[in-house]
Amino acid sequence: MTQLKYVNANELEFAYLEAGPADAPLALCLHGFPDTAHTWRHLLPALGDAGYHAVAPFLRGYAPTAIPADGAYQAGALAADANALHDALGGDGDAVLIGHDWGAIAAYGATAHAPERWRRAVTMAVPPLGGVLADFFDYDYGQFKRSFYIFLFQTPLAEAGAAAHDMALIDGLWRDWSPGYHHAEQDIAHVKESLREPANLEAAIGYYRALFDPSRHLEKYAAEQEAITRTGERPTLYLHGTADGCIGTDVVGSAKDNLPPGSRVELVEDAGHFLHLERPEAINREILTWLGSPS
């Protein structure tokens, strides 16, 4: 990976990391919460070696990417960002999209809204929202307990709670979500650096506030917002760790029913929420096999 680069897309300046030749087919990798583009440090070089132009942006509001002037953090805005980045980075119909956590949500929307831009997709750790939201109140107490942070983030206490004790909440989430991953210090340091400023932390929390509050949705992202819960048409590989402490495997049951034809769901044994960091060789192999060689 090279040093940080910058590109303007969807009226926003994005910082990104990259690997591979710039004129190769695009492989766009989108991170989630609480994480950064550095989460792709194992996958980016593997994609580059396979012949892709692998790019991992910091999502909107995550420093050093800019905070959006329109204050939009709805999922549709993330999908619009992905499609705008596709164009800004010279993507074509051979481009592929890989997303983890919120990046997965963005990938569902981007590929459903503009399938002509993407050949295939990979999503991890968050199954399609069409199934998740429809069944949300059917999950057992264990999943509600794991989702406590989502409810915290709906309150005025969210920013103060997330910032307290040097962002100890972030340490706790990583520990709970990937209990078998004992090398998260570097990853957590990157997250805290990205969200250290109050405006950036507020932005990251804003994703969750917009998830359940339509009044925070902007009309200009209405088409992408609708696409978030719609089954697209590009084959998608969905990967989920069996030890995920954020979203239990019982939530994954309906994933296949909400993925496009030709898609596949794989449970990864002995992996938690950050499965691509815990088992990088296995995850890289799964992803590269699914994507195949670029055209």
Side-chain angles (χ1 to χ4, degrees):
M1 289 185 289
T2 61
Q3 63 182 3
L4 278 175
K5 293 189 175 182
Y6 294 84
V7 65
N8 287 306
N10 198 19
E11 302 178 353
L12 196 64
E13 184 179 62
F14 287 87
Y16 66 93
L17 301 169
E18 68 174 352
D23 59 350
L26 176 66
L28 188 64
C29 303
L30 306 177
H31 70 83
F33 172 87
D35 209 349
T36 69
H38 294 284
T39 198
W40 301 111
R41 63 180 180 275
H42 300 297
L43 183 60
L44 285 183
L47 287 167
D49 290 344
Y52 288 97
H53 178 209
V55 175
F58 291 75
L59 298 191
R60 59 170 49 212
Y62 282 74
T65 287
I67 293 173
D70 61 13
Y73 298 108
Q74 69 199 80
L78 307 184
D81 288 347
N83 286 331
L85 284 163
H86 171 282
D87 296 347
L89 294 165
D92 58 20
D94 290 323
V96 294
L97 185 54
I98 300 120
H100 175 260
D101 193 87
W102 275 103
I105 295 172
Y108 296 132
T111 54
H113 180 256
E116 72 281 359
R117 285 180 167 90
W118 309 101
R119 178 172 59 83
R120 281 200 160 199
V122 178
T123 57
M124 293 182 277
V126 175
L129 285 191
V132 172
L133 295 178
D135 299 334
F136 190 78
F137 291 106
D138 293 332
Y139 300 133
D140 62 19
Y141 171 73
Q143 186 55 53
F144 275 99
K145 185 177 180 180
R146 289 189 288 269
S147 301
F148 81 93
Y149 67 100
I150 296 177
F151 302 109
L152 169 65
F153 288 169
Q154 308 307 312
T155 75
L157 301 175
E159 285 81 3
H165 306 292
D166 189 31
M167 300 185 184
L169 176 66
I170 291 174
D171 297 87
L173 292 178
W174 274 77
R175 184 171 56 249
D176 291 346
W177 290 2
S178 281
Y181 183 46
H182 305 299
H183 306 285
E185 295 84 0
Q186 178 184 1
D187 306 289
I188 293 172
H190 285 311
V191 177
K192 291 182 178 181
E193 179 182 5
S194 181
L195 302 182
R196 183 71 63 186
E197 293 299 320
N200 296 111
L201 185 59
E202 182 180 2
I205 291 171
Y207 287 43
Y208 292 93
R209 286 177 169 148
L211 184 61
F212 295 111
D213 185 356
S215 72
R216 295 176 180 269
H217 295 184
L218 299 190
E219 182 62 29
K220 69 177 181 178
Y221 299 123
E224 290 90 346
Q225 190 67 35
E226 183 275 332
I228 290 292
T229 54
R230 173 161 45 87
T231 300
E233 56 190 80
R234 288 294 179 254
T236 300
L237 170 65
Y238 179 67
L239 302 172
H240 195 99
T242 59
D244 192 320
C246 176
I247 296 179
T249 54
D250 56 315
V251 180
V252 182
S254 63
K256 187 68 181 293
D257 296 335
N258 291 277
L259 288 172
S263 297
R264 186 158 58 89
V265 174
E266 290 289 338
L267 294 178
V268 181
E269 296 292 334
D270 302 319
H273 192 69
F274 300 98
L275 62 169
H276 53 308
L277 291 170
E278 297 173 64
R279 300 195 59 195
E281 293 183 2
I283 298 303
N284 286 2
R285 185 167 55 250
E286 288 273 7
I287 291 174
L288 292 172
T289 299
W290 175 257
L291 296 179
S293 300
S295 302

